[in-house]
Amino acid sequence: MRRIKLFFRGLFYRGHNFFCPICNHGYRTFFEGGFNLAVINEYQIIGAGKRKNAICPGCASNDRDRLVYLTLINKKLNLLPANLILHIAPEPSLSSWIDSYQKKNKGSYIKGVKYHEGFYYSGDVQLMDLMHLPFDDNSFDLLICNHVLEHIPDDIGAMNEIYRVMKPSSKSILQVPWSPLLDTTFEDNSVKTPAEREDKFGQFDHVRLYGKDYVNRLESIGFQVETISVNHLNLHDNLLISYGLNNKEVIFVATKPIHTS
């Protein structure tokens, strides 16, 4: 029913003002998405907040999904093809594209639910605990974890699990909302209710607000981290507007080194 609804909604909104590279259609409008909260504005949180022209009418991808898609297909980054991909908390539109891509290229694709109380997916998605991934060491060629770690009480433990199941020299896309105004990630275990978390962290189910030290947290696990600006994707201003992207976004690509201790 969801696919049928999206199909007819997409037809209704077809046009030329915006373009979704995931479903490969043009639309006269994208929908607004996100939350308008004081903490998001105060700390200028990237990857959060109320965004105009964020949601595609046809496949329901948001700007963050399209950013990951464009990162995946960027030839300079050399993320695809990959023999085996693990996708934590798979976004439906992005997941559908990856599934099709992997089948076409004879690769494998595993979709797993994130470790987050009360958050589940239906369909062919495995229910798994990100703190205890059910895979052997050095299993995956590519891992995608898009806006998940901010939900995890022990994010360092989750990073360690991600690191463990990745093959040496493999890469992962590890996106989070973060503030360029904070030198240090803000955490407070006394903040527990949805209202308090919304007020302090920018969303009712977030448990921290990452700062500029996010890269340091990943590097403490052993990752080599490359931070890539949207401009690195070689998209001119018209395409940024057409795709509904935030030009302040940064892509965090973490590599597991070949030589690990």
Side-chain angles (χ1 to χ4, degrees), residues 120-159:
Y120 300 99
Y121 289 79
S122 61
D124 59 342
V125 179
Q126 294 187 28
L127 179 62
M128 62 178 69
D129 182 346
L130 186 49
M131 304 303 298
H132 305 283
L133 292 171
F135 306 108
D136 293 335
D137 296 356
N138 308 317
S139 292
F140 293 94
D141 302 286
L142 175 64
L143 189 144
I144 302 165
C145 186
N146 187 23
H147 285 250
V148 176
L149 293 171
E150 66 274 15
H151 299 272
I152 312 298
D154 180 11
D155 66 330
I156 299 298
M159 291 173 188

Side-chain angles (χ1 to χ4, degrees), residues 7 10-11 13-16 18-27 30 56-61 66 69-70 73 93-94 96-97 100 104 239 242-243:
F7 174 78
L11 283 180
Y13 283 100
R14 289 282 170 85
H16 303 288
F18 297 92
F19 184 82
C20 176
I22 296 180
C23 63
N24 200 34
H25 289 299
Y27 300 96
F30 277 172
C56 170
C59 68
S61 68
R66 294 189 292 276
Y69 167 82
L70 292 166
I73 65 168
S93 58
L94 184 59
S96 178
W97 179 85
S100 176
K104 186 183 300 182
L239 275 182
S242 177
Y243 290 166

Side-chain angles (χ1 to χ4, degrees), residues 1-202:
M1 289 298 296
R2 179 181 182 275
R3 290 183 178 180
I4 293 173
K5 179 181 178 181
L6 287 174
F7 174 78
F8 283 106
R9 189 176 74 176
L11 283 180
F12 179 78
Y13 283 100
R14 289 282 170 85
H16 303 288
N17 293 328
F18 297 92
F19 184 82
C20 176
I22 296 180
C23 63
N24 200 34
H25 289 299
Y27 300 96
R28 51 190 168 88
T29 189
F30 277 172
F31 301 142
E32 190 174 65
F35 305 98
N36 187 17
L37 298 171
V39 65
I40 295 174
N41 297 321
E42 179 182 357
Y43 289 101
Q44 299 177 21
I45 302 175
I46 297 172
K50 181 75 75 174
R51 286 109 60 207
K52 293 182 178 180
N53 309 318
I55 311 297
C56 170
C59 68
S61 68
N62 64 30
D63 49 344
R64 301 184 314 221
D65 304 337
R66 294 189 292 276
L67 180 65
V68 172
Y69 167 82
L70 292 166
T71 303
L72 288 172
I73 65 168
N74 187 285
K75 292 184 179 179
K76 290 183 178 179
L77 298 177
N78 198 31
L79 297 175
L80 294 175
N83 290 328
L84 182 57
I85 298 174
L86 175 61
H87 191 176
I88 303 296
E91 302 85 356
S93 58
L94 184 59
S95 175
S96 178
W97 179 85
I98 295 172
D99 192 45
S100 176
Y101 178 93
Q102 285 298 88
K103 287 176 180 176
K104 186 183 300 182
N105 290 275
K106 299 181 180 179
S108 298
Y109 177 41
I110 296 174
K111 295 170 276 186
V113 176
K114 67 184 177 183
Y115 179 77
H116 172 33
E117 182 180 355
F119 203 111
Y120 300 99
Y121 289 79
S122 61
D124 59 342
V125 179
Q126 294 187 28
L127 179 62
M128 62 178 69
D129 182 346
L130 186 49
M131 304 303 298
H132 305 283
L133 292 171
F135 306 108
D136 293 335
D137 296 356
N138 308 317
S139 292
F140 293 94
D141 302 286
L142 175 64
L143 189 144
I144 302 165
C145 186
N146 187 23
H147 285 250
V148 176
L149 293 171
E150 66 274 15
H151 299 272
I152 312 298
D154 180 11
D155 66 330
I156 299 298
M159 291 173 188
N160 271 303
E161 270 297 271
I162 289 171
Y163 187 90
R164 180 185 68 80
V165 301
M166 290 172 59
K167 291 180 181 178
S169 79
S170 69
K171 297 183 178 182
S172 56
I173 300 174
L174 304 177
Q175 297 300 99
V176 295
W178 66 285
S179 168
L181 303 185
L182 284 177
D183 290 326
T184 304
T185 294
F186 171 61
E187 297 179 281
D188 184 347
N189 292 333
S190 70
V191 178
K192 294 187 180 297
T193 69
E196 289 173 333
R197 288 174 172 174
E198 189 174 84
D199 181 59
K200 297 294 185 181
F201 305 133

